[in-house]
Amino acid sequence: MDKCSSAMEFLENKNILITGATGFLAKILVEKILRVQPNVKKLYLLLRAANESTALERFHNEVIGKDLFQVLKKMWGRDFDTLISEKVCVVPGEVSLSEMGLKDSNLVAEMKNQVELIVNLAATTKFDERYDVAVGTNTLGAKHVVSFAKQCPNLKLLVHVSTAYVSGERGGLILETPYKLGESLNGIQGLDIATEQKVMEEKLEQLEENGATKEAITLAMKDFGLERAKMYGWPNTYVFTKAMGEMMVNDLKDNLPVIIIRPTIVTSTYKEPFPGWIEGIRTIDSLIVGYAKGKLTCFLAGINSIVDLVPADMVVNTIIMAMVAHELQPSDKAIYHVGSSARNSMRYIDFQRFNYQYFTKKPWINKEGNAVKVGKVTVYNNMASFQRYMNIRYLCLLKGLEFANKAFCHSFQDKYVDMKRKFNLVMRLIQLYRPYLFFNAIFDDTNVERLRMDIEKKDREPETFLLDPKEINWEDYFMNVHLPGLVKHVFK
């Protein structure tokens, strides 16, 4: 039996629970399963909603209403709605709550009895998310999914999707090894998840008791998350809470079969269901959008630093093939880094060049209907030189404006406030992105390479589950896939 057909057979007649079903990767996973194996038994899709009608509305608007499903709709024609109604069960819930916020006792009983595979894709990916929100989804959410998985007698495997950047800012070769409960990146003792939950709740309570506005609470909880992350050696709230989520999974799993998938920076689809589908402005895309619109004239990065990218469909293929591999040879230590740095690395100097080439040939058309001219950006290769530029270019002007505003009875108040806000926003974004702009680690991907080698040995159709980043010509991908896809699906 070749590996491709075994993947098809593996998915056939399976009951699969997917959390975070309105997320970017989850949608691509759902589409892929329905397209390559419509004989899957049932996909239970958990999404954040208070009730079934809200959940169904979100599912139709935010999942199958997307362009992503156009290939599947074309394949099935009038029978598409029948396929969805027979194969998909939309489940309202919330992973941050105990029992994942599930309320329908009959549905809960059915799921516990039927579910054989769980793919936990529920996550908040903002670097500076509110600490309460990030802990709730990324850390306690992992705990609640494991708890539910333990109540499923027919469960074959739980797949927990994390991020490669739980490694923080370490350099060198990052191995596919687990995090132990209480382990910090800087050697500081005392990291305790129950304590983190407690201090987070106390901070929130204190802010509410002091009568802080909604906006003030949001900002304070964002800052608190960054403070807690940095205390233990992580650069931002997202990767810190995801690392704690992994700790939860490893600590609570007992005999539960678990694999952890750690993608790097996920980009638009490479081939399936069609090239260039993307949703939302992802990590590096905010830089692309700023540059194309003429707002990014300088750039802070280590020009030879690695930007570790992986197309979303390759991540989804890895999830499926890792599940197949686990069925054939179960392992309690399976962590998969899904990225390109080990075998086909790209550097920021290439990233800069591709953007210049593309938007010089095909400039962004602004609201006024004019083409935005772009030039080569000034690159600062360390924080000190960038800070000097910002001080000379903006801070001196800001100080002058502040003085004039006071001297002329606040006549320049609006202009001063707007410029100060923009300056602070740029500096905050730089602080958040800095660890990734000077990233020099390589993610060991031995486990994914083993999957690739198995496919090459036994597969007649490796294209169906393409995993190999060496297949990607980065210039071709950016010029003909990612940038056109970004312009089509995301630019506003």
Side-chain angles (χ1 to χ4, degrees):
M1 180 168 64
D2 70 38
K3 203 67 181 260
C4 183
S5 66
S6 73
M8 305 297 192
E9 288 184 23
F10 173 80
L11 292 169
E12 189 173 8
N13 216 30
K14 285 288 193 303
N15 289 297
I16 307 171
L17 167 61
I18 300 171
T19 69
T22 57
F24 179 55
L25 282 175
K27 279 184 262 223
I28 296 170
L29 177 61
V30 169
E31 192 279 340
K32 174 87 177 193
I33 293 171
L34 290 173
R35 181 163 43 81
V36 303
Q37 185 46 280
N39 291 325
V40 64
K41 192 166 187 179
K42 186 75 76 177
L43 296 179
Y44 294 96
L45 305 183
L46 183 84
L47 46 83
R48 190 186 297 116
N51 53 53
E52 191 183 351
S53 61
T54 310
L56 282 167
E57 188 179 342
R58 283 198 73 197
F59 172 67
H60 284 283
N61 292 340
E62 298 176 41
V63 183
I64 57 171
K66 298 293 179 183
D67 285 354
L68 175 70
F69 284 81
Q70 67 189 27
V71 174
L72 194 63
K73 284 177 180 174
K74 197 171 179 182
M75 281 171 65
W76 284 82
R78 292 177 184 175
D79 295 326
F80 176 76
D81 290 341
T82 306
L83 173 76
I84 298 299
S85 64
E86 286 180 358
K87 301 298 178 181
V88 173
C89 177
V90 177
V91 182
E94 169 58 74
V95 295
S96 66
L97 303 174
S98 60
E99 291 292 313
M100 303 195 302
L102 299 170
K103 291 170 186 166
D104 183 336
S105 56
N106 291 331
L107 179 57
V108 170
E110 178 192 319
M111 286 165 63
K112 285 178 180 176
N113 189 48
Q114 297 293 328
V115 166
E116 299 157 274
L117 301 165
I118 298 176
V119 183
N120 180 30
L121 278 156
T124 176
T125 59
K126 291 179 190 169
F127 286 180
D128 65 341
E129 180 64 273
R130 283 176 56 143
Y131 196 42
D132 52 330
V133 174
V135 167
T137 304
N138 295 343
T139 306
L140 300 179
K143 174 187 174 182
H144 298 144
V145 171
V146 170
S147 174
F148 183 84
K150 284 180 168 180
Q151 299 171 61
C152 301
N154 297 310
L155 190 79
K156 292 180 168 64
L157 182 65
L158 165 63
V159 181
H160 177 72
V161 181
S162 183
T163 169
Y165 295 99
V166 289
S167 62
E169 298 180 66
R170 284 183 294 159
L173 186 68
I174 310 292
L175 301 177
E176 295 167 304
T177 50
Y179 282 96
K180 296 182 181 76
L181 201 63
E183 185 181 345
S184 70
L185 289 185
N186 57 9
I188 296 275
Q189 300 295 310
L191 172 56
D192 178 75
I193 294 170
T195 302
E196 290 308 305
Q197 189 180 355
K198 186 167 177 270
V199 297
M200 172 267 287
E201 288 167 354
E202 285 171 354
K203 178 76 173 178
L204 195 56
E205 202 174 297
Q206 182 190 9
L207 288 162
E208 287 167 350
E209 282 175 3
N210 293 343
T213 64
K214 205 173 178 180
E215 291 77 13
I217 289 173
T218 294
L219 189 58
M221 291 308 288
K222 283 185 173 188
D223 287 343
F224 190 57
L226 291 170
E227 179 190 314
R228 299 304 293 184
K230 286 170 183 174
M231 183 188 295
Y232 294 108
W234 277 271
N236 60 57
T237 311
Y238 166 55
V239 294
F240 177 46
T241 53
K242 288 297 281 184
M244 289 194 292
E246 282 198 27
M247 291 175 195
M248 279 286 193
V249 172
N250 286 319
D251 183 58
L252 299 172
K253 68 182 182 182
D254 295 330
N255 296 322
L256 199 69
V258 172
I259 60 175
I260 293 175
I261 307 286
R262 290 181 184 159
T264 55
I265 299 169
V266 182
T267 56
S268 58
T269 54
Y270 179 56
K271 284 194 173 174
E272 287 190 80
F274 52 86
W277 189 78
I278 193 166
E279 184 175 55
I281 296 173
R282 316 204 72 74
T283 314
I284 60 160
D285 298 329
S286 54
L287 299 172
I288 297 170
V289 171
Y291 175 71
K293 292 185 174 182
K295 293 176 182 175
L296 186 73
T297 54
C298 67
F299 186 56
L300 173 71
I303 281 300
N304 289 313
S305 293
I306 293 166
V307 50
D308 194 326
L309 308 177
V310 59
D313 47 336
M314 284 193 178
V315 180
V316 163
N317 289 343
T318 305
I319 291 171
I320 294 171
M321 296 312 292
M323 290 194 292
V324 175
H326 185 274
E327 184 182 55
L328 296 173
Q329 191 174 352
S331 168
D332 62 346
K333 294 180 181 176
I335 294 176
Y336 295 87
H337 281 152
V338 193
S340 56
S341 56
R343 300 179 196 280
N344 186 12
S345 63
M346 196 183 98
R347 298 181 186 271
Y348 275 105
I349 194 164
D350 302 315
F351 175 68
Q352 185 192 357
R353 179 167 55 86
F354 300 153
N355 283 302
Y356 175 71
Q357 286 175 357
Y358 185 84
F359 290 107
T360 303
K361 288 177 186 172
K362 297 179 181 178
W364 168 246
I365 307 300
N366 63 20
K367 287 176 183 174
E368 290 74 41
N370 301 320
V372 177
K373 286 187 179 179
V374 295
K376 289 189 174 176
V377 297
T378 306
V379 178
Y380 296 92
N381 62 7
N382 60 68
M383 198 67 193
S385 61
F386 180 77
Q387 188 75 58
R388 277 196 302 274
Y389 163 78
M390 289 299 286
N391 288 347
I392 294 164
R393 179 77 175 80
Y394 295 105
L395 203 54
C396 292
L397 185 60
L398 198 56
K399 293 284 185 192
L401 197 57
E402 182 183 22
F403 176 77
N405 189 42
K406 284 176 182 173
F408 293 95
C409 304
H410 300 281
S411 303
F412 302 101
Q413 183 69 12
D414 289 348
K415 193 169 185 180
Y416 170 69
V417 168
D418 184 54
M419 186 177 235
K420 188 177 181 183
R421 183 186 61 79
K422 285 177 179 172
F423 178 83
N424 290 339
L425 178 65
V426 167
M427 295 313 293
R428 187 182 179 90
L429 286 173
I430 287 297
Q431 287 299 336
L432 287 173
Y433 281 100
R434 181 193 54 75
Y436 308 103
L437 299 172
F438 295 94
F439 201 76
N440 282 307
I442 288 172
F443 291 105
D444 172 47
D445 64 349
T446 301
N447 289 333
V448 178
E449 181 64 10
R450 199 172 290 128
L451 290 181
R452 291 184 204 124
M453 287 167 69
D454 280 348
I455 290 171
E456 281 175 18
K457 280 179 198 166
K458 303 170 186 174
D459 215 348
R460 295 192 207 109
E461 298 176 314
E463 291 290 305
T464 311
F465 292 97
L466 185 66
L467 307 179
D468 194 351
K470 284 190 284 191
E471 293 273 330
I472 303 168
N473 175 313
W474 289 116
E475 183 166 1
D476 179 65
Y477 173 73
F478 266 84
M479 299 298 283
N480 299 312
V481 177
H482 186 68
L483 294 176
L486 196 62
V487 170
K488 181 180 178 183
H489 297 290
V490 175
F491 271 53
K492 297 287 182 284

